[in-house]
Amino acid sequence: MKNDDLLYVPMLERKWRPLSFLFFPLPVVIVIVLALLQVGLSPDNAAEIIYGSWAVGFTLLNLTKEKIEDEMVKTFRLQAFQTGFFWLMCGLVAIMVVNYLRFEDIRQEIFSAPLVLFLLNGYVFAAFEYQKWKASKEL
Amino acid sequence: MKNTVKVERAKKDMTQQDLADKIGVSRQTINSIEAGKYVPSTVLALKIGRVFQTPLELIFELEEGD
């Protein structure tokens, strides 16, 4: 059966996987160097740099092919995106409620795009790896 | 869903890797199917049936709750 081209998601080759792991230590090094250089980086901006880089790392990991891309892996990936989205919604709603109860303020300035992207991709990655781990356990 | 993939594989003296190679999936997928942890798609089930030259209803069987 032919899939709809509009819904096709291109996957990255395996060589991207090692590169994606660079994005996890990289922002920590950048923040430390900027702190040593005393450029006046605020803690909020430092956190945004870290969230943004980790979001890129997890995005690359989530969009990189497995060694064998068979239908079970594709099923796991679909479930991972659904579960990751669900966990993200639960987490964001919980933070919004806590924020409202603590500060009685409906403004949600605590959320930034890098933070949301990092959480979403982190949850998707965790859900995918969890399914692979469960499947890899012998009988 | 119950299945007799492991039995059929033994009859043909095939390893999980042999079957995986024939139908284009990973050995882990065959292991998960045999363990009942993963239910294959119709396409994959038909490929398995073709390898064993056995009707699908003799390999896969619905269980209570399916």
Side-chain angles (χ1 to χ4, degrees), chain A residues 12-23:
Chain A
L12 299 168
E13 295 300 324
R14 291 283 295 172
K15 63 187 174 191
W16 285 86
R17 196 172 169 85
L19 180 72
S20 62
F21 288 112
L22 285 177
F23 286 91

Side-chain angles (χ1 to χ4, degrees), chain B:
Chain B
M1 186 154 68
K2 288 190 294 187
N3 71 77
T4 59
V5 172
K6 195 172 184 176
V7 175
E8 296 295 331
R9 193 167 54 74
K11 282 185 198 169
K12 296 266 183 191
D13 196 23
M14 291 171 75
T15 63
Q16 288 184 338
Q17 191 63 58
D18 292 337
L19 178 58
D21 292 342
K22 279 185 184 294
I23 60 175
V25 297
S26 66
R27 190 198 64 80
Q28 203 54 253
T29 298
I30 300 299
N31 186 57
S32 295
I33 292 170
E34 289 183 357
K37 288 190 270 187
Y38 177 67
V39 178
S41 69
T42 314
V43 174
L44 192 55
L46 285 166
K47 285 181 182 177
I48 291 170
R50 191 165 61 186
V51 169
F52 295 139
Q53 295 171 312
T54 306
L56 279 192
E57 55 269 32
L58 296 181
I59 302 174
F60 297 98
E61 188 185 338
L62 288 172
E63 285 182 298
E64 284 284 321
D66 279 336

Side-chain angles (χ1 to χ4, degrees), chain A residues 6-74:
Chain A
L6 187 67
L7 303 176
Y8 172 71
V9 178
M11 299 293 292
L12 299 168
E13 295 300 324
R14 291 283 295 172
K15 63 187 174 191
W16 285 86
R17 196 172 169 85
L19 180 72
S20 62
F21 288 112
L22 285 177
F23 286 91
F24 294 99
L26 183 68
V28 179
V29 173
I30 290 172
V31 167
I32 290 171
V33 169
L34 290 176
L36 291 174
L37 293 174
Q38 295 181 324
V39 293
L41 188 69
S42 72
D44 285 347
N45 286 339
E48 291 306 300
I49 290 171
I50 292 172
Y51 291 147
S53 183
W54 287 354
V56 173
F58 276 128
T59 303
L60 290 175
L61 282 173
N62 288 334
L63 292 176
T64 302
K65 286 178 183 171
E66 289 298 300
K67 279 181 191 160
I68 299 177
E69 274 286 315
D70 62 11
E71 67 165 55
M72 187 172 78
V73 166
K74 287 175 183 169

Side-chain angles (χ1 to χ4, degrees), chain A residues 58-122:
Chain A
F58 276 128
T59 303
L60 290 175
L61 282 173
N62 288 334
L63 292 176
T64 302
K65 286 178 183 171
E66 289 298 300
K67 279 181 191 160
I68 299 177
E69 274 286 315
D70 62 11
E71 67 165 55
M72 187 172 78
V73 166
K74 287 175 183 169
T75 305
F76 286 173
R77 190 171 285 119
L78 276 173
Q79 183 64 57
F81 274 93
Q82 188 178 12
T83 304
F85 179 76
F86 177 71
W87 287 347
L88 178 72
M89 290 301 111
C90 290
L92 294 186
V93 169
I95 292 171
M96 286 163 70
V97 170
V98 168
N99 193 49
Y100 177 73
L101 293 175
R102 281 183 66 191
F103 304 111
E104 294 187 357
D105 188 351
I106 57 168
R107 286 177 300 164
Q108 301 301 332
E109 292 161 354
I110 47 176
F111 299 125
S112 66
L115 173 62
V116 172
L117 282 174
F118 158 63
L119 289 175
L120 175 62
N121 282 289

